[in-house]
Structure formats: C-alpha cells, structure tokens
Amino acid sequence: MASLGPAVTGEQVPGAEAEPGAAGPPPPSTSSLGPLLPLKREPLYNWQATKASLKERFAFLFNSELLSDVRFVLGKGRGGGAAGGPQRIPAHRFVLAAGSAVFDAMFNGGMATTSAEIELPDVEPAAFLALLRFLYSDEVQIGPETVMTTLYTAKKYAVPALEAHCVEFLTKHLRADNAFMLLTQARLFDEPQLASLCLDTIDKNTMDAISAEGFTDIDIDTLCAVLERDTLSIRECRLFGAVVRWAEAECQRQQLPMTFGNKQKVLGKALSLIRFPLMTIEEFAAGPAQSGILSDREVVNLFLHFTVNPKPRVEYIDRPRCCLRGKECCINRFQQVESRWGYSGTSDRIRFTVNRRISIVGFGLYGSIHGPTDYQVNIQIIEYEKKQTLGQNDTGFSCDGTANTFRVMFKEPIEILPNLCYMACATLKGPDSHYGTKGLKKVVHETPTASKTVFFFFSSPGNNNGTSIEDGQIPEIIFYT
C-alpha cells in the first residue's frame, strides 16, 4: 500500500512491558516477526509478585508461552515469516474472549473450536500482534505501514476501540497526496467519518490530490463519488485530463488496448459526470473535443451549446462546482422597483469596488413586466483598468412576472480584490422588465461572524443601456466572503 509518510511512532501506554529485573524473559518485540517456536523452560516462580497491577500481569503474558492455551498460525503458505515459514503466536483464550465477541464465539460458542492451533491465512502477523498487544495491555502500537492491516484486523475481530485508534491515526496523517488512497480504504472498511475527512481534503486541494500517484489507483465507484461533488476546487478541463489518466491506468489494469473506445468503456457512467458545459469553448476544443472519448454527435452538440442561442439540450451537468465555504451573501443596490426597462442588444453596466477580498458567484436580475417569460442573458465581470474579462456566462433565466430578482450564476467563482475597480455587465434578450430606482452609492453587508463588506458603485461611461448608480438593471451581487 502507499505510504502515509515518514515512520511515526504509535502512541503507547506506559507499563505494558516487564520492568528490568523481573523474573523470566521479557515478551518478544513486535518488530521481531520470525516464527515463534515452543519454548521449553522451567516454570517461573512468583512472577506475579513483581507486577503491581492486573494490567502489568496481563501485559507480561502478551506473546508468551507462559500459561498459553492456544496458538495462531499466520503467514502459512505465503512465506510470511522472517525465516520464510509460518509464524506461531501463543495466546490465552480467556484474555481474547474477554476483549472480542468474535474470539468469545470462536472459543465458547455453539461451534467453538477445540484445536490448539488456529490458522489465520488472511491476517498479517504484524497487525495480529498489534491487536493482541491492545487486548492484553491497552497499548496502541501502529505506524504508517501497518495501520491499514491493523484496521482490517480490528474490524474483523470486533475491537472498536482499536479501530477508533487506527482511524484517529489516519486522520492525523491525512494529506492531499494520500487522500485518494485513504478514501478508497475508508469506503472499503465502511469508515464514513474518515471518508468524509478525505473528501473535504480533496475539495480543498483538488489539484494536488488528483496529481498524486494514488488517484489513478482508485476504483470506479470512488471516482464517481468524487466527480459527483459540487465542491471540487478545480477547472473542469483539468479534471477531465485527470479522468483520462485514470482511464488509461484502468485499461492497463484490465489488460485492454489503449484505444478511445476502451477508455470510454472503462469510464462508463463516470464520463457523464464531467461537466463539459462549465468549460470555455477554447478549453473544450483543445481537450475533450480532440480526445476521441466523446462521440462526434456529442462534440457537435457541445459546440452548439457553447455558440448558439437558444442552446440545445445536452446530457451533461451545467451546475457550477462552488468550492467556497461559509454562507452565501447578497447585496441589493436599489431601494425601490419600477417598470419598464427595455433591451436592444446593449449591455447594462455598473462599476464597483469593494473593501475586502470576496468571490462573486452571480447576479440577481429583474424580469419581465408581462408575466412569466424566459430571457437569454450574457453576464460578465471585467477588471476595469486592464479591460480584462475575469468571468462570463452565456445562459438564461425564467421569471414569473413579479418584481422579484432572479438568480443568474457564473460557471466558477470570480475572485474580487479590495480597492480595484470592476465592471458588472449583463446583456439581456427579452421583453421589457422591471428596474430599480433610488440607487445607493455605498452598500454595507454585515454578518455576526465576519467583518463588514462595503461596496461602492460608480456609473459606467459610454453606452450602458441607461443603467447608472441611480437606476437600471443588475440590482444584486451574489458573493462569498
């Protein structure tokens, strides 16, 4: 399995080992995993007197032949031992039954075993010793290379306390470069808390996570679970490139020729979860359109979606992936609504600055005065001094004929920096609409947990379809702080 990073010493409970000078030899170290052969020695007299507590006495019996009444054979047929053979680990039925319902059923249930040796071909010796150490002494000894096998063993033998320690260890060492590997294991072992933490890490560091080696090793169900998320912080064209890499790795795993058809085949339903409409036409043309994974008909339909109005229906999701945290905020720059406002193909525009860094995700626009209607609209945010378009969307919205505002969203959040001048633009195609009056030059948004967000508005020179500080369109700006 992939490493979780540099070796980390597992947390330990003091007092689990025999103190110096105690009668009898100390229990074997878990780092020495060679075959444990029967030990013939004289009975240890009065060793109990050297142990001050029940915990110390049980810890002394860990991995010891003393009073043992069962052995477990691990690594049989797999060359699992240091000397190339199986390992025999001594244990005590009473201690195991007291700590695990599975062992209790094994030794005391209706079909209890009477064998003195029990083979465990599917359990790693190091993980089994970690389980026994915990049952005998409450000591937790796990590391990056053993935590997954120990988690499996803890679940197999129903020891939830050790399972919780494993999950805690994994959580502490969760990073972007191992998030996908741990997510796969969390889903396999049914650990929803760990899976949720992995997904949060992937959301926040999507590019680093998909660039890691472990991404191409995930199974198709895990891939789909990630692609379904609305909270990934990555451009869709880069996400598509990562998915193609996964498809190539999956073809190799299935020993399939690296053809376009086979890539499409192994992706299956995952391909439909790529949000191609979120790409720019340039990104789509340079990547997916030339990938060979989409059919000619799908390519044509998506090009039409990018270039014509009304847009043809496509089978792909066009909902933005909003990676922002916190609560959505909205300001309205007008105090009153009137009618009517006409459209002739000219953009409504208003300039603004803001006092802090925010991310704008959309506008609220006024709709028709003639009842329920559909509008076609292009929205943009332009950095005013550089004349640089930071984000735009060709889309549409439906209104119900009321004086309410209607949400029109960008494909991705647009970062707005403090004290720079920006221009909000909306070019509507449709019937006369409501419009705002008694506009404000300054609008303050306050929340109990955040600093004030202050907008300053300025009229935009040139042809702006009449929109100004005082009246017009683009009443609302929807944003996250």
Side-chain angles (χ1 to χ4, degrees):
M1 58 167 267
S3 173
L4 298 180
V8 179
T9 302
E11 55 180 297
Q12 298 185 14
V13 179
E17 301 294 343
E19 60 268 23
S29 166
T30 56
S31 63
S32 177
L33 296 178
L36 296 168
L37 303 176
L39 300 177
K40 296 182 179 179
R41 61 189 178 204
E42 295 298 320
L44 299 175
Y45 176 72
N46 202 24
W47 63 269
Q48 298 87 343
T50 67
K51 312 300 173 192
S53 67
L54 178 66
K55 178 178 177 180
E56 289 181 28
R57 291 191 286 276
F58 273 34
F60 183 76
L61 295 175
F62 162 67
N63 202 5
S64 169
E65 293 285 344
L66 185 63
L67 303 179
S68 68
D69 54 2
V70 66
R71 287 188 185 183
F72 293 92
V73 182
L74 297 97
K76 187 173 183 180
R78 300 182 302 166
Q87 298 180 47
R88 288 174 170 80
I89 298 176
H92 306 75
R93 295 170 186 253
F94 169 75
V95 177
L96 272 57
S100 160
V102 175
F103 283 126
D104 190 19
M106 182 185 296
F107 300 133
N108 305 310
M111 300 184 69
T113 180
T114 57
S115 174
E117 283 198 347
I118 300 171
E119 294 185 5
L120 302 178
D122 63 331
V123 178
E124 290 292 331
F128 192 70
L129 282 168
L131 174 72
L132 294 189
R133 182 183 293 275
F134 183 75
L135 294 179
Y136 278 78
S137 66
D138 283 338
E139 180 182 345
V140 179
Q141 195 170 84
I142 51 179
E145 301 302 328
T146 60
V147 61
M148 285 301 180
T149 52
T150 302
L151 176 59
Y152 165 79
T153 307
K155 292 184 79 74
K156 177 181 176 71
Y157 292 103
V159 185
L162 180 57
E163 179 185 336
H165 281 292
C166 292
V167 172
E168 181 183 5
F169 181 93
L170 291 168
T171 300
K172 287 179 180 178
H173 297 88
L174 173 62
R175 305 184 306 270
D177 63 357
N178 64 23
F180 273 109
M181 182 272 291
L182 292 182
L183 176 60
T184 300
Q185 299 293 332
R187 288 167 57 87
L188 176 65
F189 293 138
D190 189 25
E191 292 289 346
Q193 180 185 2
L194 178 60
S196 178
L197 291 170
C198 290
L199 288 169
D200 285 344
T201 300
I202 291 166
D203 283 345
K204 295 172 186 175
N205 308 278
T206 310
M207 194 65 213
D208 290 339
I210 67 169
S211 300
E213 184 178 343
F215 170 72
T216 56
D217 295 330
I218 63 177
D219 59 273
I220 184 66
D221 290 336
T222 301
L223 177 65
C224 289
V226 171
L227 294 179
E228 288 172 347
R229 295 179 70 76
D230 290 335
T231 44
L232 300 178
S233 52
I234 188 173
R235 294 192 66 83
E236 207 69 18
C237 60
R238 292 187 175 182
L239 187 60
F240 175 77
V243 169
V244 172
R245 276 184 19 244
W246 182 91
E248 292 169 351
E250 184 66 13
C251 283
Q252 289 183 328
R253 282 190 288 271
Q254 296 189 24
Q255 298 182 330
L256 296 172
M258 203 72 68
T259 64
F260 297 143
N262 283 336
K263 291 179 189 178
Q264 188 180 58
K265 176 184 176 182
V266 298
L267 282 171
K269 62 181 179 180
L271 188 60
S272 66
L273 300 176
I274 299 292
R275 304 183 185 186
F276 295 105
L278 300 187
M279 301 180 188
T280 65
I281 188 171
E282 294 82 8
E283 289 170 340
F284 179 75
Q290 300 183 47
S291 68
I293 292 179
L294 296 174
S295 69
D296 291 344
R297 182 177 179 180
E298 288 171 317
V299 170
V300 169
N301 282 345
L302 281 162
F303 270 124
L304 290 174
H305 177 83
F306 289 123
T307 55
V308 304
N309 284 310
K311 298 183 180 300
R313 183 176 179 273
V314 293
E315 300 297 326
Y316 298 98
I317 302 167
D318 61 1
R319 186 173 63 252
R321 297 189 193 269
C322 182
C323 60
L324 301 173
R325 302 296 190 273
K327 186 177 181 181
E328 182 182 283
C329 306
C330 182
I331 56 103
N332 191 319
R333 65 190 188 93
F334 294 122
Q335 301 177 81
Q336 189 171 314
V337 182
E338 299 286 350
S339 59
R340 80 182 25 161
W341 198 259
Y343 303 99
S344 59
T346 304
S347 298
D348 288 273
R349 301 181 177 190
I350 189 71
R351 291 186 297 151
F352 67 94
T353 63
V354 68
N355 71 321
R356 60 186 300 193
R357 184 192 300 262
I358 64 171
S359 293
I360 292 178
V361 295
F363 299 150
L365 301 178
Y366 291 119
S368 173
I369 60 174
H370 301 296
T373 309
D374 292 336
Y375 282 85
Q376 295 296 318
V377 60
N378 171 272
I379 57 172
Q380 293 182 324
I381 288 184
I382 299 170
E383 188 175 335
Y384 186 70
E385 296 297 331
K386 295 181 179 180
K387 308 300 181 190
Q388 179 182 0
T389 301
L390 302 180
Q392 67 170 336
N393 193 14
D394 284 303
T395 183
F397 68 95
S398 298
C399 65
D400 58 8
T402 68
N404 295 329
T405 57
F406 301 91
R407 293 161 61 93
V408 182
M409 309 301 284
F410 289 100
K411 293 181 178 180
E412 295 182 316
I414 300 169
E415 184 179 54
I416 302 297
L417 300 178
N419 306 317
L420 288 182
C421 186
Y422 298 88
M423 186 161 61
C425 307
T427 309
L428 283 81
K429 183 178 180 181
D432 292 351
S433 74
H434 294 89
Y435 70 98
T437 63
K438 296 185 178 181
L440 301 169
K441 291 183 178 180
K442 176 182 176 181
V443 180
V444 179
H445 184 276
E446 295 186 67
T447 63
T449 57
S451 303
K452 292 180 180 179
T453 305
V454 184
F455 287 80
F456 296 92
F457 291 97
F458 313 89
S459 294
S460 182
N463 192 348
N464 54 25
N465 201 44
T467 286
S468 65
I469 297 173
E470 291 77 21
D471 50 28
Q473 257 286 13
I474 317 179
E476 293 180 343
I477 293 179
I478 305 166
F479 65 98
Y480 284 74
T481 56

